[in-house]
Amino acid sequence: MEPGSTPASENFSIRLRGVATTARTALTTISQRLLDIALPNLCAACRAPVASEGVCASCWSKLSFIAPPYCARLGIPFAYDSGPGLLSAEAVADPPAYARARAAVRYDEVARALVHGFKYQDRTDLAPMLGRWMARAGTELLRDADLIVPVPLHWRRGWGRRYNQSGALAAVIGKLSRVAVGGEVLKRIRPTTQQVGLSRTERAKNVQGAFRVPDHRKAEVKGRRIVLVDDVLTSGATVDSCARALLRAGAGDVDVLVFARVVESVKNPI
Ligand SMILES: [Zn+2]
């Protein structure tokens, strides 16, 4: 046999392998189709069957998307529109470290179900939809942005939950807005207890000094306009602490974009 040629038996086994691969691919496709038929799309909030992905008509009608008029600083909805750039009493009395905050929806029953599924039931498939809504709510912030930074999880919590939901949202928003995402820019340097059930003051104390930009990452932050991304804004203590850490590291300014924010009541502009 000439050097370099393939013996007939080897040729045969290569052909057999090819057939096996083709059969396997076909079987995978068939089983995937069967799975699609067996598992209809369910509403991401209430699990009622829906025609396509997303939320059902009933849940959709209950979602409160936040639109102007709202406080130029905090993004809290106003009862009426009395001109652009107006601030709420909260923004004046207790101004946050960040410049502006925007949210896609109010944190109510449906939003809570979506966040819960996304965060605790591994519904990573919800990230594209939630991220799309956020990118729309944050158009104004993203237009001016140099970098998107997700609120980091402490590694111990990230391990338990397997992935950082803010990181998943930041990735979607980055792709849609073509703004770079700095996933490693901000670090949680100490574990914090869950903010749920804490008072406003306790929340602020819990996350105070919990975040830091590592020295070797400071160059990425210096003078940059940053959009900080998180899933829910309650008291704003976490994003405020993150914004302080970014500003301390030399960030130009920091805006905040969340999926849902708690709105206690609709305010009047001052
Ligand atoms: Zn539903």
Side-chain angles (χ1 to χ4, degrees), residues 212-232:
R212 188 162 178 266
V213 177
D215 286 343
H216 69 284
R217 293 280 181 184
K218 284 189 175 154
E220 293 168 61
V221 166
K222 203 167 169 45
R224 313 295 291 280
R225 289 167 301 184
I226 292 172
V227 172
L228 193 60
V229 164
D230 205 0
D231 51 358
V232 180

Side-chain angles (χ1 to χ4, degrees), residues 91-260:
V92 176
D94 188 14
Y98 50 85
R100 299 172 290 184
R102 298 291 181 266
V105 298
R106 284 208 215 179
Y107 191 58
D108 53 18
E109 189 195 332
V110 177
R112 189 176 299 122
L114 289 173
V115 169
H116 200 269
F118 181 52
K119 236 170 148 164
Y120 304 110
Q121 292 160 7
D122 272 341
R123 292 289 310 267
T124 48
D125 57 307
L126 296 182
M129 178 178 77
L130 307 185
R132 204 166 55 241
W133 294 350
M134 289 170 73
R136 202 176 308 145
T139 308
E140 193 191 354
L141 314 187
L142 294 163
R143 203 169 33 221
D144 303 335
D146 299 313
L147 190 68
I148 296 171
V149 174
V151 169
L153 279 182
H154 189 261
W155 63 268
R156 265 179 267 168
R157 280 172 62 196
W159 188 261
R161 209 186 283 154
R162 300 229 299 266
Y163 84 113
N164 178 0
Q165 71 281 355
S166 306
L169 295 172
V172 174
I173 298 164
K175 211 174 275 179
L176 291 171
S177 62
R178 296 167 194 267
V179 177
V181 179
E184 302 290 315
V185 158
L186 198 58
K187 290 276 179 211
R188 201 180 279 251
I189 51 170
R190 64 172 174 80
T192 52
T193 54
Q194 291 277 3
Q195 295 279 73
V196 179
L198 299 183
S199 73
R200 202 182 164 83
T201 321
E202 284 166 342
R203 280 169 184 261
K205 208 169 160 207
N206 184 31
V207 291
Q208 197 179 13
F211 303 94
R212 188 162 178 266
V213 177
D215 286 343
H216 69 284
R217 293 280 181 184
K218 284 189 175 154
E220 293 168 61
V221 166
K222 203 167 169 45
R224 313 295 291 280
R225 289 167 301 184
I226 292 172
V227 172
L228 193 60
V229 164
D230 205 0
D231 51 358
V232 180
L233 188 149
T234 308
S235 70
T238 303
V239 284
D240 203 63
S241 183
C242 289
R244 281 177 202 281
L246 289 164
L247 292 166
R248 253 198 320 268
D253 57 58
V254 180
D255 288 325
V256 172
L257 182 57
V258 297
F259 165 62

Side-chain angles (χ1 to χ4, degrees), residues 24 27 50 71 93 143 214 251:
R24 213 170 19 241
L27 273 177
V50 281
C71 166
R143 203 169 33 221

